[in-house]
């Protein structure tokens, strides 16, 4: 790939799903290995990591909803959970990564001037940590965003419900946005591969997105450094897969 944003030294951003971090399956060993990978990658180029809330957040959101909390209160609780998860990862990475997660896009960008990787959770109500990752990526003109998630790729329909679902290796932003808009109108609990606000921000900026299984660390590393990886590549129209 060509262009300024693809230089080997340009920033990269990775959105780690909370469901990747905590699966009640050798979580401590996984977080330790992920921290080691991010420390190594973060030393070689500016790296920002957002961490999601996963099932911990969903459990609190369910309880809060039963208690009649507002959407904004629920989002604020979700943000607190993502920040706890960010602390777990940041603490394991150690210095120079701050163990206090930055609280905003602006703070994260500022922190990246002094240390890499920067690790944070959510910022404000109304979106997910995928959107935080995307807004930071646009702000720092990142080479790519990697979504480290609990599925191995994007499918044209939910593979858990439809055994004939087709795995998508590569698509462009208009195709991906059309899928997101279609799914956003679907049944509650439909599988959203990436936050819509985040996707729209990346599409506008022409930043590629890689969707990979977060627990496969060798493959995640390939996606992070821009090598060929297993998963789904979303790219600007006419751009090469990255
Ligand atoms: P997540 O980023 O974890 O969303 O934020 P998710 O879709 O559940 O992703 P996984 O499962 O971790 O991959 C959890 C919740 O926290 C709130 C939202 O309510 C979100 O659903 N949140 C998070 C915000 O309101 N703002 C943020 O910036 C981040």
């Amino acid at each position: 790939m060509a262009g300024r944003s693809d230089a080997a030294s340009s920033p990269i951003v990775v959105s780690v799903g909370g469901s990747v971090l905590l699966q009640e399956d050798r979580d401590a060993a996984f977080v330790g290995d992920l921290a080691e990978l991010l420390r190594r990658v973060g030393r070689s180029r500016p790296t920002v990591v957002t961490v999601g809330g996963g099932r911990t957040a969903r459990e609190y959101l369910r309880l809060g909803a039963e208690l009649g909390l507002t959407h904004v209160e629920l989002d604020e609780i979700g943000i607190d959970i993502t920040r706890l998860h960010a602390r777990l990862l940041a603490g394991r990475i150690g210095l120079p990564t701050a163990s206090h997660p930055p609280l905003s896009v602006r703070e994260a960008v500022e922190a990246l001037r002094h240390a890499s990787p920067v690790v944070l959770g959510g910022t404000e109500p109304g979106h997910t940590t995928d959107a935080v990752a995307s807004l930071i990526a646009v702000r720092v003109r990142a080479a790519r965003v990697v979504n480290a998630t609990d599925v191995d790729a994007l499918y044209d329909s939910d593979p858990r419900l439809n055994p004939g679902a087709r795995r998508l290796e590569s698509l462009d932003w208009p195709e991906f946005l059309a899928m997101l808009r279609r799914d956003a109108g679907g049944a509650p609990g439909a599988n959203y591969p990436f936050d819509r606000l985040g996707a729209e921000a990346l599409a506008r900026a022409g930043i590629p997105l890689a969707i990979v299984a977060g627990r496969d660390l060798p493959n995640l590393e390939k996606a992070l450094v821009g090598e060929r990886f297993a998963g789904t590549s979303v790219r600007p129209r006419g751009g090469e897969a990255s």
Side-chain angles (χ1 to χ4, degrees):
M1 292 177 64
R4 179 186 54 168
S5 64
D6 299 312
S9 59
S10 59
I12 51 176
V13 182
V14 53
S15 173
V16 179
S19 44
V20 171
L21 217 58
L22 302 182
Q23 298 189 343
E24 292 178 20
D25 177 20
R26 287 164 289 142
D27 293 343
F30 171 73
V31 175
D33 292 345
L34 176 64
E36 176 56 41
L37 165 61
L38 294 171
R39 195 184 305 129
R40 192 169 64 249
V41 171
R43 263 202 305 264
S44 67
R45 60 197 296 168
T47 303
V48 178
V49 186
T50 63
V51 186
R55 78 163 75 123
T56 324
R58 275 193 290 280
E59 179 74 4
Y60 274 80
L61 297 186
R62 189 186 55 75
L63 258 174
E66 272 183 42
L67 293 168
L69 271 57
T70 66
H71 287 303
V72 176
E73 287 168 327
L74 295 176
D75 279 350
E76 286 170 342
I77 289 172
I79 292 169
D80 283 346
I81 304 287
T82 63
R83 288 179 177 158
L84 288 177
H85 290 172
R87 275 179 171 276
L88 281 177
L89 183 61
R92 177 63 191 214
I93 292 172
L95 290 172
T97 298
S99 53
H100 262 311
L103 305 180
S104 64
V105 168
R106 182 177 167 161
E107 280 186 27
V109 172
E110 185 56 29
L112 194 61
R113 296 165 68 94
H114 308 291
S116 169
V118 168
V119 180
L120 74 160
T123 52
E124 62 276 301
H127 51 63
T128 73
T129 46
D130 290 343
V132 176
S134 304
L135 295 175
I136 292 172
V138 174
R139 179 68 177 70
V140 302
R141 298 173 172 77
R144 68 188 68 85
V145 171
V146 176
N147 187 27
T149 182
D150 59 354
V151 294
D152 64 347
L154 184 69
Y155 289 79
D156 64 352
S157 59
D158 189 337
R160 288 167 298 196
L161 304 177
N162 175 11
R166 199 164 58 87
R167 184 184 158 107
L168 304 171
E169 308 265 326
S170 174
L171 62 169
D172 64 24
W173 274 118
E175 290 168 329
F176 185 70
L177 290 178
M179 278 185 74
L180 273 182
R181 288 178 186 133
R182 182 198 70 192
D183 290 351
N191 192 26
Y192 298 106
F194 199 74
D195 180 290
R196 186 163 151 181
L197 174 78
E200 282 172 354
L202 292 181
R204 252 196 324 275
I207 295 176
L209 169 70
I211 300 172
V212 299
R215 282 250 166 168
D216 179 352
L217 290 179
N219 189 52
L220 173 61
E221 181 161 9
K222 286 183 190 158
L224 286 172
V225 301
E227 291 174 7
R228 186 172 287 276
F229 63 91
T232 299
S233 174
V234 185
R235 55 196 155 58
R237 184 163 267 174
E240 286 175 41
S242 77

